[in-house]
Amino acid sequence: MTKRELAPTFVPADIEPRMYQHWVDSGYFTADSSSPKEPFTIVIPPPNVTGNLHIGHALDQTLQDCLTRMKRMQGYEALWLPGMDHAGIATQNVVEKQLAAQGLTRHDLGREEFVKKVWEWKAESGGQILGQMKRLGDSVDWTREAFTMNETLSQAVLTIFKKLYDQELIYRAERIINWCPRCLTALSDIEVEHSDDEGELVSIRYGTGDSEIIVATTRAETMLGDTAVAVHPDDERYAHMIGKTVTVPLINREIPVVADAHVDPAFGTGAVKVTPAHDPNDFEIGLRHNLENLVILDADAKVVNTNSAFDGMDRYEARKAVVEALRAEGRIVAEKRPYIHAVGHCSRCDTTVEPRLSKQWFVKVAPLAKAAGDAVRDGRVKIEPEELAPRYFEWVDGMHDWCISRQLWWGHRIPVWYGPNGEVIVVGPGESAPAGYEQDPDVLDTWFSSALWPFSTLGWPNNTEDLKKFYPTSVLVTGYDILFFWVARMMMFGLFAMDGVPPFGTIVLHGLVRDQFGKKMSKSKGNVVDPLEFIDKYGADALRFTLARGSNPGKDQALAEDWIAGSRNFATKLWNATRFAMMNGVTVEGDLPPVSALNAIDKWILSRLSETTAEYSELLSTYEFARASEVIYHFAWDDLCDWYLELSKEAFASGNAQATQRVLGYVLDQLFRLLHPVMPFITEELWTTFTGGETLMTAAWPASNSSHLDKDSEELITQLQRVITEVRRFRNDQGVKPSQKIPGRFIAPADVAQYSSAMAFLLKLELGDFTPSASVEIGNIKCELDLSGAVDVEAERARLEKDLATAKKDLATAEVKLNNQGFMAKAPESVVAEIRERQAATTADIERITAQLAALK
RNA sequence: GGGUGGUUAGCUCAGUGGUAGAGCGUCUCGUUUACACCGAGAAUGUCGGGGGUUCGAAACCCUCACCGCCCA
């Protein structure tokens, strides 16, 4: 063992990067699939290859690293598997933007060249987030780094596609899908974000005279594609119209009035226009009534096929023109502007989504989603916190078929080939299509491959050692915001592909990181923070501790730079406490002295350590990161630094501290182990320096030692703390400077009096003979003091009167209870006893304070 | 419209039946050799409103108000 000196101050930047590299080089992060140890597996929610580490990643990864490091220390074969997602639209957009700067589009390059270009971009500037994860200290197994477009993961995609197709869980159909007219691709429901936008609500009169009917719309241009008007079957206002036709203005098309129970008679006029090709609800109505699907908007959202003056206009231009033309014909009955309503936007480029009829590939989700729901319902998979389970059920139980085809070039190309005579075949891994067949030009939704992540990253479809050892994964840690995007899909595909074995045992959901006022971070608000800046400024440990400390299960957390500074202060505190220990000969060598040989102060800290260890471990293993952090923080700062070290200073100063040197050594050793998962860098530095050990990463996790629990010592130290606090308060009230030594002595029972010198040392009292001029009483303990000058009687009286008032109030509340017959009859004995004790104690206090007040006069 | 979470100290939040807590901030004193990224002391709450259950409610029930999120 080689002990080193501790630098005078802790500078995170000086140790973090080299320490991280050392960890990687030493193979501590690398999991062994042939190990006999029980596995513990986490797969990282793969960040986008285009992404940079934002504060949400920092939180997510801190929690995962925390669990991984703890489990590793607990003797598990811990695997935290890193990797990235190819992020179809996002990545394609990035590269297209680069091309646009040169005046090129992807079509100028052609498909093959463009995809090559994307790979080049990835090699050069993709995956920056991986380096940033290292700054955070993530103990991920870099030897297993995965990427959704890699060869093995692509094989997994082909395999499952074919398997789903063969079981008729993938089909091709003409449906209304969400279409982004800018990205020129279909989007799944979850790639659409709704916001309340300003629009217009225009009421239009169709038909004339008796066959007149008024409909309202926010998209007037869609009237060009109307093929019906629908009313509720029970709506008497329109009973006479059902089955008849009305004329659509401008294009003079006769369309039927149909009765459909899905029409809300209370909304507007109770009659709705039906545009089956451009609205999902209308499409459904169309199916029920055999209506024609008139496509009147093309891929760019320009009007087509109407044989009118509107052809060629884009949707907004046409909306205006259509309203103008209707107004000129006197067809506009009412206009509401602005009209606030929910509008869907492309989650990638924010363009307003256009519902569009088109031929796409779908996953039939009903059976898969059922299984995904059941796995949670029957308890095979737990959701933490369980309050979020209803959201999960709401989603999986009401999921629409999943549109998986995307009109992009970057992604897994759909393995379907079409023959010259309309044949359709799916080409699995290792197979090839017959000559003359052409492959479907579309690629798969990015989430299709992400849904395979928990097993594709372990080598599936091959039955690899990794897959055998590490599947199913233990926990999935992610934000509740992607419960639907990703988690539900992994559940569906995991259960399907892995013969009903769910991809993880527990889903741990955390919240979002918000700004210091609890507001959502957004670029437009300018309140977005950069975790890397915080790491530069305060160290990774400080950021990690702050995030863990703020992470209550499933709840959002506010984050302010001040809190991170506070965590940095905590790190400094640990550093300095260790320096103090080291300069006082504290050691981890030799056996811990038997408890019977220890003084109450040493017994007390061991007892507190044991309690803290148990509580903290329990909280961490139940994903209560905030509460765990709070517990360890107060143990380290309050119990250890503020009390134990202070109470022990007299022993160190007097050179009579052999037992304490060893006890403190033990406590620090254990504390560093406990803190290591959250604050890996500083604990590693302190521990290796202090103990001379090789690494804390594989050191054993502390066990709570019940033989150290000692309620008597805890009670005694609590008494000492009260005495010390009261004397300090008295000195403060009397204007005695903290550093000024004054004569003092304790008149107390033997167990307390035994620690007179320890108390005197930290109270700056000189024990000895003197004539007291003042005294402080705490229960049956008296501290006599010589202020060697005038006692500030007024200050003392004010203090005593305040204490008296408090005591009287406490006594009153206690007596109200004791005089309450209901309470005496029904409250449990222990509670009654407690109130009685309180009554006795406050009564004694009142007597004592009253006497003191009398003596002052 | 349907779900769902919240309302506790100046701010951000813990606290699932027995005298209201933390961090930060505020005020006072202090460079006592671990630490001023510190120490000591102090102040600060009709726990959103109303009703109910209970010996006892911040907590359980009902109701209202106001914020937020998810889904339509």
Side-chain angles (χ1 to χ4, degrees):
Chain A
M1 291 215 262
T2 46
K3 287 197 186 181
R4 289 177 284 135
E5 289 285 311
L6 214 46
T9 52
F10 172 49
V11 183
D14 289 350
I15 63 165
E16 289 179 358
R18 86 173 145 74
M19 186 178 284
Y20 190 86
Q21 197 50 50
H22 174 69
W23 284 335
V24 173
D25 295 343
S26 305
Y28 296 137
F29 298 167
T30 310
D32 176 5
S33 61
S34 67
S35 154
K37 295 178 186 173
E38 198 179 323
F40 177 83
T41 317
I42 297 183
V43 288
I44 200 167
N48 285 357
V49 61
T50 54
N52 276 285
L53 188 83
H54 61 64
I55 196 75
H57 294 124
L59 168 64
D60 190 48
Q61 293 172 15
T62 292
L63 303 187
Q64 289 171 60
D65 198 30
C66 196
L67 292 175
T68 304
R69 285 177 183 269
M70 178 177 71
K71 291 290 179 179
R72 195 180 283 123
M73 291 174 74
Q74 287 174 347
Y76 289 81
E77 190 60 39
L79 168 60
W80 184 16
L81 197 151
M84 291 186 294
D85 192 287
H86 67 279
I89 298 183
T91 308
Q92 178 159 326
N93 281 353
V94 166
V95 178
E96 284 191 294
K97 217 171 259 178
Q98 288 187 345
L99 289 178
Q102 304 164 41
L104 297 171
T105 72
R106 69 183 205 255
H107 301 283
D108 294 324
L109 295 189
R111 183 167 193 144
E112 206 172 314
E113 273 306 301
F114 178 76
V115 170
K116 211 171 122 191
K117 203 93 188 161
V118 178
W119 279 108
E120 280 168 18
W121 169 86
K122 182 199 175 246
E124 278 168 29
S125 39
Q128 293 188 22
I129 195 166
L130 298 178
Q132 296 161 344
M133 285 165 58
K134 296 176 181 170
R135 300 284 316 279
L136 197 61
D138 291 353
S139 66
V140 293
D141 185 347
W142 292 110
T143 67
R144 287 176 166 86
E145 183 191 328
F147 181 55
T148 47
M149 286 289 281
N150 277 353
E151 185 54 32
T152 56
L153 279 79
S154 299
Q155 291 294 306
V157 167
L158 291 183
T159 305
I160 196 148
F161 189 98
K162 188 165 170 62
K163 196 170 170 188
L164 286 163
Y165 183 84
D166 288 347
Q167 298 192 21
E168 295 178 358
L169 292 170
I170 282 184
Y171 63 92
R172 194 183 193 210
E174 194 155 61
R175 290 281 178 84
I176 295 277
I177 44 85
N178 305 295
W179 181 264
C180 175
R182 200 213 63 86
C183 299
L184 297 178
T185 179
L187 303 171
S188 69
D189 289 350
I190 54 176
E191 287 166 303
V192 177
E193 283 168 8
H194 293 271
S195 60
D196 284 337
D197 294 358
E198 279 189 11
E200 57 181 18
L201 184 69
V202 181
S203 299
I204 308 166
R205 185 165 46 86
Y206 283 17
T208 50
D210 286 345
S211 66
E212 189 177 286
I213 207 158
I214 294 166
V215 296
T217 180
T218 56
R219 295 187 294 154
E221 73 282 8
T222 60
M223 69 166 290
L224 302 170
D226 281 1
T227 53
V229 167
V231 298
H232 194 274
D234 301 335
D235 196 333
E236 286 173 13
R237 292 170 293 178
Y238 301 108
H240 67 288
M241 296 286 297
I242 296 170
K244 300 198 174 133
T245 63
V246 292
T247 309
V248 182
L250 304 182
I251 49 175
N252 297 319
R253 187 164 56 237
E254 289 287 313
I255 58 173
V257 176
V258 300
D260 194 289
H262 277 71
V263 176
D264 177 5
F267 183 79
T269 59
V272 297
K273 57 192 279 308
V274 181
T275 325
H278 295 282
D279 183 278
N281 294 319
D282 293 6
F283 182 75
E284 296 295 323
I285 294 176
L287 286 179
R288 286 192 286 270
H289 300 276
N290 279 319
L291 301 177
E292 192 185 349
N293 297 321
L294 280 182
V295 174
I296 56 108
L297 287 171
D298 67 6
D300 297 310
K302 284 199 173 72
V303 177
V304 288
N305 303 332
T306 65
N307 286 320
S308 70
F310 306 109
D311 276 2
M313 294 184 183
D314 85 21
R315 53 186 164 167
Y316 299 115
E317 200 182 342
R319 186 169 303 169
K320 236 175 163 174
V322 164
V323 172
E324 279 311 310
L326 287 168
R327 189 178 292 127
E329 291 191 10
R331 291 277 171 186
I332 303 291
V333 180
E335 293 174 74
K336 200 171 173 189
R337 205 176 275 118
Y339 177 75
I340 309 295
H341 63 128
V343 177
H345 298 267
C346 172
S347 63
R348 284 295 161 206
C349 72
D350 208 41
T351 302
T352 300
V353 162
E354 197 63 38
R356 182 163 185 256
L357 186 67
S358 101
K359 205 169 199 183
Q360 304 285 346
W361 286 95
F362 293 86
V363 171
K364 184 177 167 187
V365 299
L368 300 168
K370 171 78 168 50
D374 288 345
V376 175
R377 263 185 287 267
D378 65 23
R380 280 179 294 152
V381 177
K382 270 188 285 204
I383 291 183
E384 296 281 356
E386 57 186 346
E387 298 96 84
L388 288 173
R391 278 204 201 185
Y392 172 80
F393 293 132
E394 191 193 343
W395 172 262
V396 293
D397 295 341
M399 196 176 183
H400 295 135
D401 279 358
W402 172 15
C403 175
I404 50 170
S405 43
R406 296 290 178 277
Q407 289 65 50
L408 305 172
W409 287 352
W410 175 241
H412 302 279
R413 192 155 171 188
I414 292 180
V416 175
W417 294 68
Y418 305 105
N421 302 309
E423 300 95 330
V424 177
I425 65 157
V426 172
V427 175
E431 301 170 355
S432 52
Y437 277 55
E438 281 201 19
Q439 187 171 10
D440 193 298
D442 292 352
V443 300
L444 288 164
D445 180 6
T446 298
W447 296 100
F448 191 92
S449 52
S450 327
L452 311 175
W453 190 250
F455 45 97
S456 62
T457 53
L458 293 172
W460 188 88
N462 301 310
N463 192 21
T464 59
E465 292 305 308
D466 271 7
L467 193 66
K468 284 188 261 183
K469 177 79 181 176
F470 296 111
Y471 189 91
T473 69
S474 310
V475 296
L476 178 81
V477 180
T478 191
Y480 61 71
D481 53 328
I482 59 168
L483 188 58
F484 316 134
F485 281 78
W486 186 47
V487 180
R489 284 166 200 221
M490 285 190 290
M491 288 286 283
M492 293 197 300
F493 279 10
L495 289 160
F496 176 75
M498 304 301 293
D499 301 319
V501 180
F504 18 74
T506 306
I507 299 165
V508 175
L509 297 167
H510 60 249
L512 274 35
V513 180
R514 295 167 167 273
D515 79 1
Q516 58 181 315
F517 301 113
K519 300 288 174 214
K520 200 167 176 172
M521 288 187 188
S522 72
K523 279 181 190 163
S524 57
K525 273 189 228 151
N527 58 353
V528 178
V529 297
D530 179 359
L532 298 171
E533 276 179 28
F534 289 140
I535 291 174
D536 287 340
K537 204 165 165 187
Y538 301 105
D541 292 324
L543 177 64
R544 292 168 60 115
F545 189 76
T546 307
L547 291 168
R549 194 181 188 185
S551 187
N552 285 111
K555 294 221 179 166
D556 290 352
Q557 66 169 298
L559 179 77
E561 184 165 349
D562 278 353
W563 320 165
I564 301 168
S567 297
R568 184 271 321 266
N569 297 352
F570 180 50
T572 308
K573 193 76 182 174
L574 295 170
W575 188 268
N576 285 314
T578 309
R579 281 180 60 222
F580 173 78
M582 289 177 75
M583 65 181 68
N584 280 286
V586 168
T587 180
V588 289
E589 284 168 34
D591 291 338
L592 201 57
V595 173
S596 56
L598 299 177
N599 67 34
I601 301 168
D602 290 333
K603 286 187 204 167
W604 166 76
I605 198 67
L606 289 177
S607 184
R608 287 292 304 123
L609 174 67
S610 194
E611 288 170 348
T612 303
T613 301
E615 197 180 352
Y616 177 76
S617 297
E618 172 65 17
L619 288 168
L620 267 193
S621 51
T622 51
Y623 319 107
E624 292 271 8
F625 297 98
R627 291 173 62 193
S629 306
E630 205 62 20
V631 163
I632 199 76
Y633 177 89
H634 286 294
F635 173 76
W637 201 312
D638 300 352
D639 292 336
L640 183 63
C641 292
D642 286 349
W643 287 107
Y644 182 72
L645 293 185
E646 293 302 326
L647 282 168
S648 300
K649 276 182 178 172
E650 190 266 338
F652 286 129
S654 66
N656 185 23
Q658 289 83 352
T660 300
Q661 283 170 329
R662 186 62 190 88
V663 169
L664 177 53
Y666 173 76
V667 173
L668 286 175
D669 172 37
Q670 300 283 296
L671 175 62
F672 296 149
R673 291 170 196 242
L674 292 171
L675 274 169
H676 182 257
V678 206
M679 307 181 91
F681 291 110
I682 189 172
T683 50
E684 175 84 328
E685 181 70 6
L686 290 175
W687 189 84
T688 54
T689 307
F690 176 50
T691 67
E694 165 63 25
T695 181
L696 195 44
M697 283 201 59
T698 51
W701 186 254
S704 175
N705 186 338
S706 58
S707 73
H708 286 169
L709 292 177
D710 184 345
K711 286 293 163 194
D712 290 345
S713 296
E714 291 196 23
E715 234 165 75
L716 180 60
I717 300 303
T718 302
Q719 268 190 297
L720 299 189
Q721 289 173 333
R722 280 187 58 209
V723 171
I724 289 161
T725 303
E726 285 302 317
V727 175
R728 279 171 172 166
R729 198 157 74 141
F730 180 81
R731 289 180 55 125
N732 207 295
D733 285 352
Q734 292 294 324
V736 179
K737 304 275 188 240
S739 59
Q740 190 187 331
K741 289 197 171 183
I742 56 172
R745 65 172 161 252
F746 298 94
I747 298 159
D751 56 346
V752 172
Q754 195 184 342
Y755 298 99
S756 291
S757 51
M759 290 193 288
F761 190 87
L762 102 187
L763 282 168
K764 293 278 174 287
L765 301 183
E766 279 173 338
L767 295 171
D769 281 340
F770 62 93
T771 308
S773 63
S775 67
V776 181
E777 288 183 53
I778 308 93
N780 59 354
I781 302 163
K782 190 172 187 180
C783 176
E784 292 182 333
L785 300 159
D786 179 10
L787 295 183
S788 69
V791 174
D792 184 342
V793 177
E794 279 319 304
E796 188 52 9
R797 174 172 295 130
R799 158 61 42 113
L800 289 170
E801 272 168 0
K802 189 171 162 257
D803 288 352
L804 184 61
T806 308
K808 281 182 170 168
K809 205 179 131 210
D810 288 350
L811 178 62
T813 45
E815 288 185 335
V816 163
K817 291 202 173 197
L818 294 172
N819 291 332
N820 180 335
Q821 291 191 346
F823 175 79
M824 295 305 286
K826 297 193 177 177
E829 264 179 53
S830 62
V831 175
V832 176
E834 200 186 309
I835 304 288
R836 281 222 169 91
E837 259 175 55
R838 199 182 301 157
Q839 182 194 32
T842 47
T843 304
D845 282 347
I846 289 168
E847 280 172 19
R848 176 174 55 74
I849 297 168
T850 308
Q852 281 182 280
L853 273 170
L856 274 185
K857 283 166 192 167

